[in-house]
Amino acid sequence: MSPSFDTPADQRPGRATPDGASASSAIVPVIMCGGSGTRLWPASRESMPKQFIPLLEDLSNFQVTAKRFADPAFAKPLVLASSDVRFIAAEQLQAVEVEAEIVLEPMRRDSAAAVAVATCLAQRQGPETVALVVAADHLIADTEAFVAACLAAAEGARAGLIMTLGVAPTAPATGYGYIQPGAPVGAAGARRVERFVEKPDAETAARYIEQGYLWNSGNFLFRADVMAAELARHAPDVLAAARAAVAAAASDLDFLRLDADAFAKAPKISIDYAVMECTEAAGVLPVSFAWSDIGTWGAIWEASAQDRDGNAFKGKVEAVATRNSLVHSDGVLTTVVGLDDVVVVSTPDAVLVAARERSDSVKDLVAKMKAGRRGEVDEHLRMYRPWGSYQRIDAGARFQVKRITVKPGQRLSLQKHFHRAEHWVVVRGTAEVTIDDQVILRHENEAAYLPIGSVHRLANPGKIDLELIEVQVGSYTGEDDIVRFEDVYGR
Amino acid sequence: MSPSFDTPADQRPGRATPDGASASSAIVPVIMCGGSGTRLWPASRESMPKQFIPLLEDLSNFQVTAKRFADPAFAKPLVLASSDVRFIAAEQLQAVEVEAEIVLEPMRRDSAAAVAVATCLAQRQGPETVALVVAADHLIADTEAFVAACLAAAEGARAGLIMTLGVAPTAPATGYGYIQPGAPVGAAGARRVERFVEKPDAETAARYIEQGYLWNSGNFLFRADVMAAELARHAPDVLAAARAAVAAAASDLDFLRLDADAFAKAPKISIDYAVMECTEAAGVLPVSFAWSDIGTWGAIWEASAQDRDGNAFKGKVEAVATRNSLVHSDGVLTTVVGLDDVVVVSTPDAVLVAARERSDSVKDLVAKMKAGRRGEVDEHLRMYRPWGSYQRIDAGARFQVKRITVKPGQRLSLQKHFHRAEHWVVVRGTAEVTIDDQVILRHENEAAYLPIGSVHRLANPGKIDLELIEVQVGSYTGEDDIVRFEDVYGR
């Protein structure tokens, strides 16, 4: 049977009881955090991609995704992330109290390499371990229905199929790939995959829906040995690179860092092209829960609660004669007059105004700006670091002002600058300031001065966040004027 | 004859030669700076209204207007401004090296009172002095044509008419009042005014144009004695209040401050209602130079140089698939994707997105926000003061950070605060800091600390701007926590 909204969870077949899932039968969730979400610029940028931003609720989609695997049917999740976002991922998991193993990809290598790594890691827990590969940024509100679908699809996976979840379309969307289901297989409602098709135009999409096609959600369930065999057959280079990268992986603080030289050899190819479109083993479980890959601001508008004018506003927003629009403000008062069907997103250093129906084209804007080397394209004003964060709040010809937040117990690297002196004024908490041979404490409303060339370090020895205002004065205030002598984060 | 674009200036009749205008025959320009320009929010706000902002070029419209009277046909201009903007007006005049007398209106009292004041002041130079009343925020690119028109209209004024400049319409605009011209009068192309009509709808406007109506530009030329007589007849209360306010006016630094009690008695009424629509003496000179009151962002778009897509961009702007739009950025990267006919204006603390055709409705937005008491409605992030300016750059629960600029030779008031301490870090120039009984100098990269309750003062004894970063720490950081002991600006 196909999982549906109205089957009570405990009556579903194949449902694991709280303590009924043994290590070997538990599904290993693999959360893929790749992707930079450029179509959600300016909220999403390389320095903080969309899956880590609370776009719809207080938690990020990555956090919501991680929490989805609390059910004992699942083993401890694996998180595949790029090295750049490792501290964000770790901090966000900690905040929602989810334990996971964070595996660092040294560079971008599309989804086939990621699935291959997941396969190798799952194999450590037994050759027939079932892995569930999901994206960190998909929206699935009904966790119960999702879990039931995974359990049903796992039956197909255990029987040797590479299962996908095929979502019953609610509209002729042109932003998703489609799956044509074939003959039924097994008892849980699974079907063979007749074929995968690329994103269609609207007319084709409508025809697909009439013919019973499903949206390709990009979630996969498979037995590790089955996927390994299919990779060996269809994409042996990818598998070899992943195996070598896992074999030579190094533990780095709390992370497992894949070997860069080995991983670099993996061809850049998606799992769809590399395996799914070639394999004889593809299966699909039709599901009917609400799902979105919230890839564009238009999709976020659709997924948002709307007022009676069809508007979804967030933050400091005012509007007059405006309908069916999304307006998100991150601090700056953002106003709209007399427009329908627009998206307005304002951040402290960048504003996007787009036609809602064309919000997909934000990627063109981002591409154009990357070519023009605009810093706002990739970097946020607030930059996250393992010890906390910093944000530039003002800058002039020979100075720069930052607000710096240091988490309790954290410390920055021991460093010096050749071109700037720094004035620190503590506005919250307590700072332990090292200046050359001296270590001093500075409390709220106290200041410290760091002359040019002094070797210094900032730490928060306290129990609450330390916040300070840093005024840099000098002939050059770039981030790269730094000599690091010692760093607890191994940078 | 009517002035036109292709008559060389020196062949125009009535043209004053460089030294041919005696004090008594020179026209006295009166620049009216009232009006808050709410339809041009967020660039224009109470704290810095549109006429003082460089919207179209490097100079503000007030500056461009003031420079228009360099011709010896004109006497030294009078500037009528509210007390709030007096330092901005003085500074902007100084920057373009225009000498003028700045007359301060103690409160808002519409245009009849302002014209009455202008009349009384012009009478000081002789009863038959011709005054030319212009708005500070109108756009007239062709100064030569404008000057020629003023000289031609002055002939009508000297003959006893209250002359207006009637602009030949270029489109059936609904944002302007219209004038129906009557019988010719005099030799310079002037006509009697048949009637003034209010802003029409588009259909009526088209009919008006067919019938030869002109736009009412709101510029007036009159003999002081004629206007005084007409005011005495049609609006005696206004004239009496203006006379008393001028008689009891006080010199305040470089300003002439009208007497508040007397001026307050002037009824709030426009010169159009009070005099122009009742008088028998109204005349109009048809002119054909390009003119706009640039009252809306749509009008600014029209007046701006546009690229081949019809776009007018200013500042840090990127756009994709966007046409016929105005995008102004004051610092923040501002982007548009897939929209036509929009207006986007971004400032560090407020963003406006509007349909270009509906940019008139910005006033509704501003009214709504005033009701909601949003600070961004009236106040700019950067506030101008007689000594310089300050700008909030960050704020938190118990702190606030400002960038303060003090002009050479200027000093702030001697003051103290009950709830906050202040840290000053000089990033440019030299500060003279008074702390209780002590006076110290602080240079670039030096700091000073002002404990809670200390009596302090900041001054710039140097020859270049002083810039400093002020970090306020305390339980309350509002502007009203200040006790002033002494202030050179009489605040």
Side-chain angles (χ1 to χ4, degrees):
Chain A
M1 64 167 286
S2 165
S4 74
F5 289 93
D6 36 39
T7 308
D10 54 359
Q11 291 170 26
R12 282 177 197 144
R15 171 91 186 160
T17 55
D19 46 10
S22 72
S24 63
S25 72
I27 300 167
V28 176
V30 182
I31 304 173
M32 316 257 270
C33 298
S36 55
T38 52
R39 290 179 301 168
L40 292 178
W41 185 90
S44 173
R45 308 184 196 181
E46 296 269 350
S47 72
M48 186 67 140
K50 66 168 176 169
Q51 51 272 25
F52 298 112
I53 298 171
L55 285 170
L56 281 159
E57 31 193 331
D58 293 338
L59 298 178
S60 75
N61 237 316
F62 169 66
Q63 289 174 308
V64 174
T65 301
K67 277 166 62 95
R68 207 171 279 146
F69 303 111
D71 193 285
F74 299 106
K76 183 164 108 171
L78 292 171
V79 171
L80 260 73
S82 81
S83 193
D84 295 344
V85 297
R86 65 196 189 277
F87 296 110
I88 304 172
E91 190 181 325
Q92 292 202 347
L93 287 173
Q94 204 174 11
V96 293
E97 297 178 345
V98 170
E99 264 189 66
E101 183 170 9
I102 302 179
V103 182
L104 303 182
E105 295 179 301
M107 65 284 292
R108 291 244 163 102
R109 278 296 176 273
D110 217 328
S111 58
V115 169
V117 165
T119 299
C120 298
L121 292 169
Q123 281 185 310
R124 296 178 307 186
Q125 297 172 36
E128 299 197 350
T129 304
V130 173
L132 160 61
V133 173
V134 300
D137 55 357
H138 288 185
L139 183 75
I140 298 167
D142 189 342
T143 297
E144 227 167 66
F146 172 76
V147 172
C150 291
L151 292 173
E155 288 187 35
R158 288 197 182 94
L161 293 174
I162 301 179
M163 294 294 296
T164 64
L165 300 183
V167 179
T170 54
T174 56
Y176 299 138
Y178 284 69
I179 295 173
Q180 183 183 9
V185 53
R191 311 273 293 266
R192 291 264 170 199
V193 169
E194 194 65 32
R195 63 174 183 134
F196 291 92
V197 292
E198 303 273 326
K199 297 176 184 177
D201 59 32
E203 204 181 314
T204 313
R207 206 175 62 237
Y208 285 166
I209 293 181
E210 259 172 43
Q211 297 170 353
Y213 283 41
L214 302 163
W215 285 339
N216 183 359
S217 73
N219 295 289
F220 300 101
L221 287 99
F222 50 82
R223 246 172 45 205
D225 58 345
V226 172
M227 182 56 89
E230 293 299 308
L231 282 164
R233 187 170 307 141
H234 303 292
D237 295 356
V238 174
L239 183 63
R243 272 210 176 117
V246 169
S251 278
D252 170 6
L253 301 172
D254 298 329
F255 309 105
L256 182 69
R257 191 183 286 275
L258 297 172
D259 183 72
D261 291 341
F263 193 71
K265 296 203 175 78
K268 283 189 182 176
I269 183 170
S270 76
I271 188 67
D272 301 77
Y273 283 120
V275 172
M276 298 309 291
E277 295 182 8
C278 329
T279 182
E280 302 285 308
V284 59
L285 182 78
V287 297
S288 55
F289 50 71
W291 167 88
S292 165
D293 75 348
I294 51 167
T296 64
W297 288 112
I300 289 182
W301 172 77
E302 276 169 31
S304 300
Q306 294 163 14
D307 66 20
R308 62 183 179 184
D309 292 325
N311 292 321
F313 294 162
K314 189 174 170 185
K316 221 164 159 185
V317 173
E318 292 275 5
V320 165
T322 294
R323 281 188 304 271
N324 302 320
S325 293
L326 175 120
V327 187
H328 277 200
S329 161
D330 178 9
V332 172
L333 172 59
T334 304
T335 65
V336 183
V337 173
L339 283 167
D340 295 343
D341 306 306
V342 294
V343 160
V344 182
V345 180
S346 73
T347 70
D349 67 340
V351 174
L352 169 74
V353 182
R356 210 192 67 229
E357 293 292 333
R358 300 196 56 180
S359 57
D360 189 64
S361 301
V362 171
K363 65 175 186 296
D364 302 335
L365 173 78
V366 170
K368 186 180 172 191
M369 293 192 297
K370 269 189 200 274
R373 299 181 161 274
R374 287 211 184 264
E376 296 89 343
V377 177
D378 295 333
E379 286 175 12
H380 276 93
L381 213 52
R382 174 168 297 171
M383 297 293 279
Y384 289 86
R385 289 289 176 264
W387 44 261
S389 65
Y390 69 85
Q391 177 164 354
R392 190 184 67 239
I393 56 175
D394 198 10
R398 289 173 56 86
F399 74 96
Q400 182 169 222
V401 188
K402 287 180 178 175
R403 190 212 286 210
I404 296 176
T405 304
V406 185
K407 293 183 284 191
Q410 301 295 315
R411 59 203 324 217
L412 282 67
S413 61
L414 186 67
Q415 54 187 242
K416 76 169 177 182
H417 315 292
F418 290 115
H419 301 290
R420 65 179 188 252
E422 293 176 342
H423 299 255
W424 290 344
V425 180
V426 176
V427 296
R428 181 163 184 251
T430 296
E432 184 192 273
V433 182
T434 305
I435 311 175
D436 295 323
D437 300 331
Q438 209 187 351
V439 177
I440 53 178
L441 285 182
R442 283 291 178 263
H443 311 97
E444 185 180 303
N445 194 30
E446 294 179 346
Y449 174 62
L450 310 160
I452 294 184
S454 64
V455 175
H456 58 272
R457 161 172 256 165
L458 175 63
N460 177 0
K463 299 296 177 197
I464 60 170
D465 278 0
L466 159 67
E467 279 190 293
L468 59 80
I469 302 299
E470 174 180 275
V471 183
Q472 304 177 350
V473 187
S475 51
Y476 176 75
T477 57
E479 285 304 313
D480 55 346
D481 172 20
I482 188 166
V483 180
R484 285 207 177 91
F485 298 99
E486 195 196 315
D487 183 23
V488 291
Y489 309 105
R491 292 173 303 178
Chain B
M1 65 165 288
S2 165
S4 74
F5 288 94
D6 35 40
T7 310
D10 52 1
Q11 290 170 26
R12 283 178 197 144
R15 172 91 186 161
T17 54
D19 45 9
S22 72
S24 63
S25 71
I27 299 168
V28 177
V30 183
I31 303 172
M32 317 258 270
C33 297
S36 55
T38 53
R39 290 178 301 168
L40 292 177
W41 185 89
S44 172
R45 308 185 197 181
E46 296 268 350
S47 71
M48 186 68 141
K50 65 168 177 170
Q51 52 272 25
F52 298 112
I53 299 171
L55 285 169
L56 281 158
E57 32 192 331
D58 292 339
L59 298 178
S60 74
N61 235 316
F62 168 66
Q63 289 174 308
V64 174
T65 301
K67 279 166 60 95
R68 206 171 279 145
F69 303 111
D71 193 286
F74 299 105
K76 181 164 108 171
L78 291 172
V79 172
L80 260 72
S82 81
S83 193
D84 295 345
V85 298
R86 64 195 188 279
F87 296 110
I88 303 172
E91 194 180 322
Q92 292 202 348
L93 286 173
Q94 205 174 9
V96 293
E97 297 178 345
V98 170
E99 263 190 68
E101 183 170 10
I102 302 179
V103 182
L104 303 182
E105 294 178 301
M107 67 279 296
R108 291 243 161 104
R109 280 292 177 277
D110 219 327
S111 58
V115 169
V117 165
T119 299
C120 298
L121 292 169
Q123 280 184 310
R124 296 178 308 186
Q125 298 173 35
E128 298 197 352
T129 303
V130 172
L132 160 63
V133 174
V134 299
D137 54 358
H138 288 186
L139 183 76
I140 299 166
D142 188 341
T143 297
E144 228 168 64
F146 171 77
V147 171
C150 291
L151 292 173
E155 288 187 34
R158 288 198 183 93
L161 292 175
I162 301 179
M163 293 296 296
T164 65
L165 301 183
V167 179
T170 53
T174 56
Y176 299 138
Y178 283 70
I179 294 172
Q180 183 183 8
V185 53
R191 311 273 292 266
R192 290 265 169 198
V193 169
E194 193 66 33
R195 62 174 184 136
F196 291 92
V197 291
E198 303 274 325
K199 297 175 183 176
D201 58 32
E203 204 181 314
T204 312
R207 207 176 61 238
Y208 285 166
I209 293 181
E210 261 174 41
Q211 295 170 353
Y213 283 42
L214 302 163
W215 285 339
N216 183 357
S217 72
N219 295 287
F220 300 102
L221 288 100
F222 50 81
R223 244 171 47 203
D225 58 345
V226 171
M227 181 57 87
E230 292 299 308
L231 282 165
R233 187 170 308 142
H234 302 293
D237 294 357
V238 174
L239 183 63
R243 272 211 175 118
V246 169
S251 279
D252 170 7
L253 302 173
D254 297 329
F255 309 105
L256 182 69
R257 189 183 287 274
L258 296 173
D259 183 71
D261 292 340
F263 193 70
K265 295 202 175 76
K268 282 188 182 177
I269 183 169
S270 77
I271 188 67
D272 301 77
Y273 282 119
V275 172
M276 297 311 290
E277 296 183 8
C278 330
T279 182
E280 302 286 307
V284 59
L285 182 78
V287 298
S288 55
F289 51 72
W291 167 87
S292 164
D293 74 349
I294 50 167
T296 64
W297 288 112
I300 290 181
W301 172 77
E302 276 171 29
S304 300
Q306 294 164 14
D307 66 20
R308 62 184 179 184
D309 292 323
N311 292 321
F313 295 162
K314 189 174 171 186
K316 224 164 159 183
V317 173
E318 291 277 5
V320 165
T322 295
R323 281 188 303 271
N324 302 320
S325 294
L326 175 120
V327 187
H328 277 200
S329 160
D330 178 9
V332 171
L333 172 59
T334 303
T335 64
V336 184
V337 173
L339 284 167
D340 294 344
D341 306 307
V342 294
V343 160
V344 182
V345 181
S346 74
T347 70
D349 67 339
V351 174
L352 169 74
V353 182
R356 210 191 67 228
E357 293 292 332
R358 299 195 58 180
S359 57
D360 188 62
S361 301
V362 172
K363 66 175 186 296
D364 302 335
L365 173 78
V366 169
K368 186 181 171 190
M369 293 192 297
K370 268 189 201 274
R373 299 179 160 279
R374 286 212 185 264
E376 296 88 344
V377 177
D378 295 332
E379 287 175 11
H380 276 91
L381 214 55
R382 176 167 296 171
M383 297 293 280
Y384 289 86
R385 291 289 176 264
W387 44 260
S389 65
Y390 69 85
Q391 178 164 355
R392 191 183 67 239
I393 56 175
D394 198 11
R398 290 172 55 84
F399 73 95
Q400 182 170 221
V401 188
K402 288 180 177 175
R403 188 212 286 210
I404 296 176
T405 305
V406 185
K407 292 183 282 191
Q410 302 295 316
R411 58 203 322 216
L412 281 68
S413 61
L414 186 68
Q415 55 187 242
K416 77 170 175 180
H417 315 292
F418 289 114
H419 301 290
R420 65 177 188 254
E422 293 176 343
H423 300 255
W424 290 344
V425 179
V426 176
V427 296
R428 180 162 187 250
T430 295
E432 183 192 272
V433 181
T434 305
I435 311 174
D436 296 323
D437 300 331
Q438 209 187 351
V439 178
I440 53 178
L441 285 183
R442 283 291 177 264
H443 311 97
E444 186 180 302
N445 194 29
E446 293 178 346
Y449 174 62
L450 311 160
I452 294 185
S454 64
V455 175
H456 59 271
R457 162 172 255 164
L458 176 63
N460 177 0
K463 299 295 177 198
I464 60 170
D465 278 359
L466 159 67
E467 278 190 294
L468 58 81
I469 302 299
E470 173 180 274
V471 183
Q472 304 176 350
V473 186
S475 50
Y476 177 75
T477 57
E479 285 302 315
D480 53 348
D481 173 20
I482 187 166
V483 180
R484 284 207 178 92
F485 298 98
E486 198 197 313
D487 184 22
V488 291
Y489 309 105
R491 293 173 302 176

